[in-house]
Amino acid sequence: MTDGPAARAAALRAELRQHDYRYYVLNDPSVPDAEYDRLMRALRALEAAHPELITPDSPTQRVAGAPSEAFGEVVHRIPMLSLDNAFSAEDVAAFDRRIHERLGVEGELDYVAEPKLDGLAISVIYRDGALEQAATRGDGVTGEDVTANVRTVRRVPHRLSGRAPSLLEARGEVFMPLKGFERMNARARERGEKVFVNPRNAAAGSLRQLDPAITAARPLDAFFYGLGVLEGEPLPDGQARLLERLRALGLPVSPDVRRVRGVAGCLEYYRDIGALRGALPYQIDGVVYKVNSRADQERLGFVSRAPRWAIAHKFPAEEAVTVVRGIEFNVGRTGALTPIARLEPVFVGGVTVSNVTLHNIDEVHHKDVRVGDTVIVRRAGDVIPELVSVVLEKRPMNPRRPSEPASPEVQLPASCPVCGSRVLRAEGEAVARCTGGFTCRAQRQEALRHFASRRALDIEGLGDKVVEQLVEHELVRSPADLYALTTEQLAGLERMGEKSAANLVAAIGASRETTLPRLLYGLGIPDVGEATALALARHFGTLEALMAADEAQIQQVEDVGPVVAAEVAAFFASKDHRNVIKVLRDKGVRWPDMPKAPGEAATGTLAGKTFVLTGTLATMTREEAAEALAARGAKVAGSVSKKTSYVVAGSEAGSKLARARELGVRVLDEDELRALLRG
Ligand code: 5U1
């Protein structure tokens, strides 16, 4: 179907208006900002190509956000502007070039760089030092009177400090700090109430409450960064001085603003704040650069609704909209079935995402994800992409019964999609498992992959593709079969030459000399990670002693509870598993006995060191990192104190990172952690 430009413009306008209404009036947007920006760009491009199609009420022609009729109206003495956006270093360079050209100056310019808070813009008027009125931006010309609500925001002073000007209109942003946002949503979830999709909407929804008592109960905060009107004292000569003055008057100003020089200084700030973003206590979506000199600002002036002397440099969008093409179930090493949404590939957070895990069937039902749904996908920093929510308005409906969705609710399969064995879900457990055990190809594959992994038997060259083929051609059924493989058999596999086959046989051979903790970890006993494997090995000293132990004896091991003890006992009770161990031995796999040393002080390269892990690591889970550290004798603690030796900070690290900085505790990134683990 090829709609004409007029029809396309009308459709885009209708969709943008609908989004404006949900965003500005209901504080409940159904799509991320990036999607809104995309629609707006499409409409702008269409209007640029067909100027006859521009209508005065087109969303491209005004600042969205008509004030709600529920509040009194405030006409701003000076319109509240918005900012143009830069999305790349080139955009920033072009902004700086335009300024040089307009001012007719050369050399590096003096800028003030500030975090761009993801909140709600407000104007606050103080007369003779007393808070008189607060208003939202609204459409930039007329806002809503939210004085009673802003009075409840603790950091916004009711009286200014020191000698106050006769009239001050300060402009800034009301926002909800992340901790408060999470706490508020957790409480709402407990009570079965509606949760906010992000801190910005939570801030907007909280400030635009008709009952100020509700606003007062919400954890709001504010930072100020601009000026509307100032009477009774001279205007500061630039942005840096303005911020100093606002601070001196007792208004909160972001502690993260910085004076920078030229494009290079701006971009350095962008990188620094970007790296710190996950550790900041509030959400930001970019940074703002402002020409510092007020005289220069005045000469530069404004264009339509934005100043020429300032620009927002946005971070890459962390949320995007895409479509679910299918929902499949992956079978893992322990048989756990994990629903995976296959997506129309989408670029988000700097990478293309085609799959997201939905964790378990409860999560699928909770989010009510169905095939064909339009969904919001999020990838923040290096965090694994997640499916945030379904855009229900876009759900395809059954053409014959329009009140019913076209796709049915996703059901847990009754049988394993790989081997056809029965799928069981134990009472009270979120996870459903294939009961096929080693007869299931998927489980065999995952078990082999795990057995060969670096922290288990460490067989170099036994990658996913090789494992897949070994299982498919039935060359290997259990890890013990690996030790009977010949160069000829391996050379017959796809993409495997004589040389790599010989190398792999050699690597398998070399893995025969191993340790008891590595073997125990590599066997893939459910819930036994590296640290538990080490504790079991230390406690029992030999595999025979562990295999002879009952649940009660296994529970004697430090940090082993009844659930893990039951898993370990059940694993060794299995005839198949005992046989695998026997064949491993027969094929020459050796592990020296461990010195039995219950209660002995930890040994290892990191003995005596205390680590705290925070944020998300890119190449391992926090549990894996903790196990690897424990296996090297380190202690892993939950909170940072002066006694902490290192804090390992992944992306989105929060208060623990801030605390480490406060106490001067050494902070490691993931590469440094890996180096320590190796060393
Ligand atoms: N930090 C900051 N955010 N922000 C938003 N400064 C800033 N300035 C703005 C806006 C809309 O506008 C003025 C430059 C007009």
Side-chain angles (χ1 to χ4, degrees):
M1 193 177 65
T2 49
D3 284 343
R8 263 185 293 139
L12 284 167
R13 278 185 200 129
E15 186 158 8
L16 283 162
R17 280 197 196 105
Q18 175 64 20
H19 291 321
D20 279 347
Y21 174 73
R22 292 207 45 159
Y23 183 107
Y24 289 105
V25 181
L26 304 182
N27 299 313
D28 185 24
S30 58
V31 294
D33 292 356
E35 175 68 3
Y36 181 91
D37 291 347
R38 193 184 65 77
L39 295 169
M40 186 65 98
R41 275 200 302 276
L43 181 56
R44 282 217 179 93
L46 203 55
E47 289 179 347
H50 303 276
E52 73 282 2
L53 293 179
I54 301 176
T55 57
D57 67 344
S58 172
T60 57
Q61 303 301 302
R62 64 194 176 86
V63 179
S68 158
E69 282 166 17
F71 294 90
E73 279 191 0
V74 171
V75 177
H76 300 299
R77 292 158 197 246
I78 297 172
M80 284 182 79
L81 303 169
S82 54
L83 289 167
D84 272 343
N85 290 325
F87 294 99
S88 63
E90 292 75 48
D91 290 350
V92 178
F95 161 74
D96 180 69
R97 222 175 13 253
R98 286 194 298 273
I99 292 173
H100 276 93
E101 281 163 14
R102 281 213 162 245
L103 294 177
V105 294
E106 285 184 4
E108 284 185 331
L109 283 164
D110 196 10
Y111 289 103
V112 172
E114 306 172 6
K116 185 172 182 301
L117 284 142
D118 223 356
L120 183 74
I122 53 155
S123 139
V124 177
I125 294 178
Y126 288 89
R127 193 179 294 280
D128 297 322
L131 173 60
E132 182 178 85
Q133 186 179 63
T136 63
R137 177 164 72 195
D139 62 6
V141 176
T142 311
E144 297 149 339
D145 186 337
V146 285
T147 312
N149 292 351
V150 169
R151 279 185 198 285
T152 70
V153 180
R154 238 166 300 147
R155 286 228 294 171
V156 177
H158 290 188
R159 278 211 78 82
L160 295 175
S161 321
R163 262 176 74 95
S166 51
L167 188 67
L168 167 74
E169 183 195 349
R171 289 174 175 180
E173 204 89 1
V174 167
F175 62 94
M176 189 173 285
L178 288 165
K179 267 225 175 101
F181 168 72
E182 276 151 21
R183 229 178 292 129
M184 192 181 89
N185 263 358
R187 228 174 293 138
R189 223 172 273 124
E190 265 166 31
R191 296 193 199 131
E193 292 167 5
K194 183 173 160 273
V195 294
F196 284 104
V197 291
N198 58 42
R200 196 225 6 245
N201 292 298
S206 302
L207 196 62
R208 300 171 77 242
Q209 283 288 336
L210 290 175
D211 178 1
I214 297 180
T215 311
R218 302 278 173 85
L220 292 175
D221 203 342
F223 280 143
F224 289 87
Y225 50 67
L227 197 60
V229 182
L230 181 64
E231 289 175 9
E233 70 176 51
L235 285 170
D237 66 5
Q239 178 67 14
R241 284 267 163 78
L242 167 66
L243 296 179
E244 271 171 31
R245 183 70 188 124
L246 294 176
R247 218 179 250 138
L249 288 168
L251 290 164
V253 170
S254 165
D256 299 305
V257 294
R258 192 194 296 172
R259 265 178 96 153
V260 296
R261 284 194 68 76
V263 175
C266 290
L267 296 179
E268 190 186 348
Y269 178 81
Y270 178 83
R271 278 191 299 272
D272 290 351
I273 290 285
L276 203 69
R277 189 179 182 190
L280 288 175
Y282 44 80
Q283 187 164 296
I284 61 174
D285 61 352
V287 299
V288 184
Y289 312 125
K290 298 173 183 173
V291 170
N292 184 39
S293 154
R294 186 170 55 83
D296 286 348
Q297 289 180 2
E298 283 171 2
R299 284 171 64 202
L300 288 162
F302 304 90
V303 56
S304 75
R305 60 197 177 93
R308 286 202 187 88
W309 45 267
I311 199 159
H313 189 181
K314 301 287 273 285
F315 292 132
E318 293 186 328
E319 287 188 357
V321 169
T322 188
V323 173
V324 176
R325 289 276 164 246
I327 296 175
E328 291 168 14
F329 286 83
N330 263 11
V331 183
R333 172 165 58 87
T334 59
L337 262 65
T338 307
I340 308 283
R342 307 280 177 216
L343 306 172
E344 192 61 36
V346 62
F347 192 72
V348 56
V351 300
T352 300
V353 175
S354 323
N355 303 304
V356 280
T357 173
L358 294 166
H359 304 291
N360 56 56
I361 192 72
D362 289 346
E363 176 93 353
V364 179
H365 291 160
H366 176 68
K367 290 187 171 160
D368 190 17
V369 188
R370 301 179 188 211
V371 176
D373 273 348
T374 296
V375 292
I376 298 173
V377 175
R378 180 174 171 80
R379 182 183 182 268
D382 292 330
V383 182
I384 306 166
E386 59 165 339
L387 193 152
V388 180
S389 58
V390 173
V391 183
L392 283 173
E393 295 102 294
K394 296 208 169 180
R395 170 165 283 172
M397 301 309 269
N398 186 330
R400 261 178 278 142
R401 286 187 297 276
S403 62
E404 284 176 24
S407 282
E409 191 179 61
V410 176
Q411 299 298 338
L412 186 68
S415 55
C416 171
V418 177
C419 72
S421 302
R422 216 148 61 88
V423 167
L424 274 188
R425 184 175 174 184
E427 195 145 323
E429 269 206 35
V431 184
R433 289 179 206 277
C434 156
T435 52
F438 244 60
T439 60
C440 176
R441 187 163 44 78
Q443 290 189 53
R444 278 208 304 274
Q445 224 162 273
E446 291 306 317
L448 280 174
R449 230 193 291 254
H450 178 76
F451 183 81
S453 66
R454 207 158 41 78
R455 294 195 297 278
L457 276 280
D458 192 17
I459 306 176
E460 213 184 314
L462 197 65
D464 292 357
K465 283 275 164 273
V466 182
V467 168
E468 248 169 56
Q469 294 182 68
L470 290 175
V471 171
E472 196 170 319
H473 300 311
E474 306 244 322
L475 290 172
V476 172
R477 287 189 62 81
S478 89
D481 298 339
L482 288 171
Y483 295 93
L485 286 171
T486 62
T487 312
E488 293 71 47
Q489 281 174 317
L490 290 172
L493 301 179
E494 250 174 64
R495 284 193 269 168
M496 179 71 88
E498 282 283 333
K499 176 123 183 56
S500 24
N503 287 345
L504 183 50
V505 169
I508 293 172
S511 75
R512 281 194 172 91
E513 294 301 324
T514 190
T515 65
L516 183 53
R518 276 180 180 271
L519 178 79
L520 286 177
Y521 173 64
L523 286 174
I525 307 165
D527 290 326
V528 174
E530 262 185 302
T532 308
L534 180 68
L536 289 168
R538 281 219 177 111
H539 185 93
F540 289 100
T542 67
L543 186 58
E544 291 71 23
L546 171 59
M547 287 169 75
D550 60 22
E551 271 182 57
Q553 287 164 325
I554 298 172
Q555 261 195 71
Q556 302 297 313
V557 180
E558 204 186 333
D559 286 341
V560 171
V563 174
V564 177
E567 293 278 17
V568 175
F571 185 91
F572 289 115
S574 146
K575 238 168 72 191
D576 283 349
H577 294 150
R578 283 176 172 265
N579 193 44
V580 167
I581 290 162
K582 180 180 174 304
V583 181
L584 280 173
R585 271 219 179 90
D586 292 348
K587 298 278 178 197
V589 181
R590 294 276 171 269
W591 51 91
D593 294 345
M594 292 279 288
K596 252 180 89 169
E600 175 199 64
T603 56
T605 50
L606 298 175
K609 302 275 187 251
T610 304
F611 286 70
V612 173
L613 302 167
T614 179
T616 308
L617 302 174
T619 61
M620 55 180 133
T621 63
R622 279 224 293 261
E623 289 69 30
E624 284 167 347
E627 281 169 8
L629 285 166
R632 285 152 187 81
K635 196 173 151 215
V636 179
S639 60
V640 183
S641 74
K642 281 198 184 131
K643 289 194 192 142
T644 310
S645 319
Y646 302 100
V647 167
V648 179
S651 59
E652 306 277 302
S655 58
K656 288 179 193 168
L657 175 57
R659 181 88 182 121
R661 295 220 163 101
E662 229 173 85
L663 295 175
V665 172
R666 171 99 195 271
V667 177
L668 303 179
D669 64 19
E670 197 166 341
D671 287 343
E672 290 169 315
L673 169 66
R674 287 208 166 275
L676 268 189
L677 291 175
R678 274 195 303 273

